[in-house]
Amino acid sequence: MKGLIIAAGRGSRLARKGASKPLVPVLGKPIIERIIRTGYQAGIKEFYVVTGFNGDKVRSFLSTLASQLPVSIKHIENDSWQKGNGVSVLKAKDYLKDNFVLMMGDHLVDVELLKRFLNLSVRPEEVILAVDKNLNSPFVNPDDVTKVLTNNGKVIDIGKHLKKFNGYDTGLFYCTPAIFDAILKSIEERGDYSLTGGIKVLAGEGKVNGFEVKNYFWIDVDDPVALEKAEVALLENTRNKANDG
């Protein structure tokens, strides 16, 4: 299984924590390192990372990390990162011809959740989105999260400003190459350069399945408040594991 991580954005809300969002430390380790280590523990050995803002620093760090872990990290540069994160996904079109897992460069997820996700089966031309149905999660900012409306296991709508929704987008996707054409269609027909725009296109065709994350941990480390919550959660998880052992 290959993993695509999009980490090209500026991350202005975390700017005071570091000059490059993927390198902002969470309990002493950069966000991007935690994402890759989690992916490796779940079984991903080949990563493609799309970088943009302050990309040189991120790529330099990742090259060092690749020498420390038994993984392959391939760099993809996005010099149009300001347009939207869908462009970052499109930059990987020539590299990923088979199914892959798409992860956000600022989202942390439980390794057990990722393991379960990797064991799913996705149909040709479809995508699976990990959806959190806990609308009262303490780790989610309801004013900023992308909302999802599902019905009978299908994602039928997605967006930050949905009035009717029953779940949250966790930023974890099991993709077929159909995602690339969907983003292109979103750009051409709606002028929407976001990944959400591409998912919206596929959802309109009945090609997006929802996978409930249930009680597994995930968080979008998008601002200082979320960063603090992530560190507290990771400390608690470490403490629980120590007690168990």
Side-chain angles (χ1 to χ4, degrees):
M1 177 60 64
K2 298 177 181 178
L4 173 64
I5 302 172
I6 53 173
R10 182 167 190 156
S12 56
R13 283 179 284 182
L14 275 178
R16 58 180 176 160
K17 297 292 184 178
S20 182
K21 187 176 184 180
L23 300 181
V24 169
V26 181
L27 287 185
K29 288 194 179 295
I31 298 174
I32 192 72
E33 178 176 351
R34 288 195 174 277
I35 294 168
I36 289 175
R37 285 185 179 275
T38 297
Y40 167 66
Q41 290 170 6
I44 300 174
K45 303 293 173 54
E46 188 173 346
F47 294 89
Y48 294 78
V49 182
V50 183
T51 52
F53 180 76
N54 270 349
D56 288 344
K57 292 181 180 179
V58 180
R59 290 188 290 272
S60 176
F61 173 80
L62 290 175
S63 294
T64 300
L65 182 63
S67 69
Q68 299 170 349
L69 294 174
V71 299
S72 165
I73 301 178
K74 296 180 172 62
H75 303 299
I76 302 175
E77 298 183 38
N78 177 10
D79 54 6
S80 301
W81 57 268
Q82 303 97 326
K83 289 184 176 180
N85 61 358
V87 177
S88 288
V89 178
L90 282 177
K91 292 291 183 178
K93 187 174 188 292
D94 293 336
Y95 298 87
L96 297 168
K97 302 298 183 181
D98 300 311
N99 298 347
F100 61 95
V101 170
L102 170 59
M103 297 172 282
M104 304 299 104
D106 54 2
H107 286 211
L108 300 179
V109 302
D110 190 308
V111 65
E112 295 303 322
L113 167 59
L114 188 52
K115 284 179 180 178
R116 287 190 62 196
F117 202 64
L118 291 174
N119 284 324
L120 299 176
S121 296
V122 62
R123 295 177 181 176
E125 304 298 317
E126 293 190 350
V127 165
I128 302 174
L129 166 60
V131 178
D132 189 352
K133 291 294 188 75
N134 180 10
L135 301 184
N136 297 310
S137 171
F139 301 112
V140 174
N141 179 354
D143 296 324
D144 187 56
V145 69
T146 299
K147 289 124 181 130
V148 178
L149 180 63
T150 64
N151 185 35
N152 292 326
K154 289 285 186 181
V155 173
I156 58 177
D157 204 359
I158 184 171
K160 284 204 171 186
H161 305 294
L162 291 188
K163 297 261 172 113
K164 183 180 179 182
F165 60 93
N166 54 13
Y168 296 137
D169 168 8
T170 67
L172 185 60
F173 301 82
Y174 196 147
C175 296
T176 64
I179 187 62
F180 301 123
D181 289 337
I183 294 172
L184 286 171
K185 187 174 182 179
S186 173
I187 293 171
E188 293 168 0
E189 296 185 356
R190 307 174 185 178
D192 187 344
Y193 287 79
S194 69
L195 169 60
T196 295
I199 296 297
K200 202 174 183 74
V201 168
L202 288 175
E205 299 171 357
K207 295 180 178 178
V208 182
N209 297 308
F211 169 77
E212 289 190 39
V213 303
K214 299 190 183 295
N215 295 320
Y216 286 108
F217 169 77
W218 73 278
I219 190 169
D220 176 3
V221 188
D222 204 38
D223 57 33
V225 173
L227 176 60
E228 183 177 348
K229 288 182 178 181
E231 292 188 326
V232 170
L234 290 175
L235 278 172
E236 186 64 27
N237 185 50
T238 301
R239 187 178 301 115
N240 289 340
K241 286 184 177 179
N243 290 340
D244 288 344

